[in-house]
Amino acid sequence: MNLEAPLVLGIETSCDETGVGIVRGTDLLANTIASSMEEHARYGGVVPEVAARAHLEALGPAIRGALVQADVSLEDIDAVAVTSGPGLAGALMVGVGAAKALALALDVPLYGVNHLVGHVGADLLDDRAPLETPTVALLVSGGHTSLLLVRDLVSDVELLGETIDDAAGEAFDKVARLLGLPYPGGPEIDRAAIGGDPAAIRFPRGLTRPKDLERHRYDFSFSGLKTAVARWVERAEATGEPYELADVAASFREAVVDVLVGKAIAACTDLGVPRLLLGGGVVANARLREVAQERADAAGIALRVPPFALCTDNGAMIAALGSKLIMAGAAPSGLDFGADSTLPVTDIRV
């Protein structure tokens, strides 16, 4: 194995996207993603059993596609990395089982890694200047809303805060449903908000009052916001009061973005960390990126956002983290680990 630039195949199956990536060191060679989103759309959200079966069907073709894209063969692979958790238990089991079989058949080391830390690892594949640490990372997706302090990517990651109820992406999906918009809600609300006034309705900002900040300074809550939108729409419809869908969508989105960015910038300021990294599928939200850039610039904080293809769940970020672990001299995981749906972020490698 080339310890300075190992060829690593990464497998990601934590939710509804089957991702396989191949990297050489920090060079991205392949990133194939098969999404089962359309299958879940009829239910208005991810169904774990459907996701697991979709991974079973998609994983083989995704691996073959990645090998073709990277122009390598299985025999060239130096190591295999796989998401061990957190995520949907059944979905994780598919990837972990496949990765173990592959590593055993190829007689190469296997690294079970943390999905959330993988999102930070995606930045390793950016062509810009290397990722500097310490950095604060804000990870926002359908299943996770987490604020991390990354002192060292392979050995020291601390959870600063996370959602205590709905994740931000989940809130987008639920509000989209009550507004009559299709699943997934994030891009639909983004479209609906075009031309809307983000200040038209002052929806609540969860866990931002002084008494909440004492206990939950870096935690998030979006359940109350979702309920507030529902009650506002119900009252307007009950009284026959006309309203603009664009204003409701824009005001809801602004409330989410305000809390996400506000807490992330506060963490950077409190901890004296002049760097903020965004990750997760919700980073596709144009308003989130815009506000984050504005507030980061105002606070003298360097903002990093990996290319969008590397923000959503993908195997390339898992391969990148595995490669980084190898280059740092970390021992492989062996074959005795399992899928862990609640894997803490401090467990970078299992």
Side-chain angles (χ1 to χ4, degrees), residues 278-337:
L278 302 186
V282 178
V283 174
N285 188 285
R287 184 59 179 162
L288 174 58
R289 297 195 306 274
E290 179 184 5
V291 173
Q293 190 66 67
E294 289 174 356
R295 296 193 189 175
D297 289 345
I301 294 168
L303 179 70
R304 292 178 69 100
V305 184
F308 177 62
L310 297 176
C311 286
T312 57
D313 293 347
N314 64 86
M317 69 184 192
I318 301 304
L321 181 54
S323 176
K324 183 71 172 178
L325 285 163
I326 292 170
M327 291 187 287
S333 301
L335 296 172
D336 59 349
F337 70 92

Side-chain angles (χ1 to χ4, degrees), residues 165-250:
D165 42 54
D166 292 346
E170 186 180 3
F172 271 100
D173 291 338
K174 291 179 177 179
V175 169
R177 190 182 310 134
L178 69 87
L179 294 177
L181 301 173
Y183 173 87
E188 295 297 332
I189 286 181
D190 236 11
R191 281 189 281 269
I194 295 174
D197 179 3
I201 309 161
R202 177 66 186 184
F203 287 126
R205 273 65 169 161
L207 298 183
T208 59
R209 294 180 299 180
K211 68 174 184 178
D212 294 323
L213 291 174
E214 291 178 8
R215 295 180 53 208
H216 297 285
R217 182 161 183 77
Y218 305 129
D219 290 323
F220 303 92
S221 172
F222 298 106
S223 179
L225 170 60
K226 171 199 65 183
T227 302
V229 177
R231 297 292 86 82
W232 192 95
V233 172
E234 287 174 2
R235 284 194 299 270
E237 292 177 345
T239 60
E241 178 185 348
Y243 64 88
E244 293 292 334
L245 176 62
D247 287 345
V248 178

Side-chain angles (χ1 to χ4, degrees), residues 77-316:
I77 299 298
D78 291 321
V80 176
V82 64
T83 297
S84 176
L88 302 175
L92 290 167
M93 289 178 191
V94 176
V96 169
K100 287 182 178 181
L102 199 55
L104 191 62
L106 297 175
D107 191 25
V108 297
L110 174 63
Y111 290 80
V113 303
N114 192 293
H115 170 80
L116 295 179
V117 183
H119 274 297
V120 182
D123 195 69
L124 296 169
L125 302 174
D126 202 317
D127 292 332
R128 298 171 300 172
L131 174 67
E132 292 184 60
T133 53
T135 186
V136 170
L138 174 65
L139 309 180
V140 194
S141 67
H144 303 283
T145 302
S146 305
L147 200 55
L148 314 180
L149 173 60
V150 182
R151 297 186 184 90
D152 187 286
L153 186 60
V154 299
S155 64
D156 191 352
V157 177
E158 177 186 348
L159 178 66
L160 297 175
E162 60 186 342
T163 182
I164 63 174
D165 42 54
D166 292 346
E170 186 180 3
F172 271 100
D173 291 338
K174 291 179 177 179
V175 169
R177 190 182 310 134
L178 69 87
L179 294 177
L181 301 173
Y183 173 87
E188 295 297 332
I189 286 181
D190 236 11
R191 281 189 281 269
I194 295 174
D197 179 3
I201 309 161
R202 177 66 186 184
F203 287 126
R205 273 65 169 161
L207 298 183
T208 59
R209 294 180 299 180
K211 68 174 184 178
D212 294 323
L213 291 174
E214 291 178 8
R215 295 180 53 208
H216 297 285
R217 182 161 183 77
Y218 305 129
D219 290 323
F220 303 92
S221 172
F222 298 106
S223 179
L225 170 60
K226 171 199 65 183
T227 302
V229 177
R231 297 292 86 82
W232 192 95
V233 172
E234 287 174 2
R235 284 194 299 270
E237 292 177 345
T239 60
E241 178 185 348
Y243 64 88
E244 293 292 334
L245 176 62
D247 287 345
V248 178
S251 297
F252 161 73
R253 181 181 65 177
E254 196 71 7
V256 174
V257 168
D258 190 20
V259 173
L260 289 173
V261 177
K263 295 207 171 210
I265 295 295
C268 290
T269 302
D270 294 347
L271 301 171
V273 176
R275 286 171 288 276
L276 174 62
L277 171 71
L278 302 186
V282 178
V283 174
N285 188 285
R287 184 59 179 162
L288 174 58
R289 297 195 306 274
E290 179 184 5
V291 173
Q293 190 66 67
E294 289 174 356
R295 296 193 189 175
D297 289 345
I301 294 168
L303 179 70
R304 292 178 69 100
V305 184
F308 177 62
L310 297 176
C311 286
T312 57
D313 293 347
N314 64 86

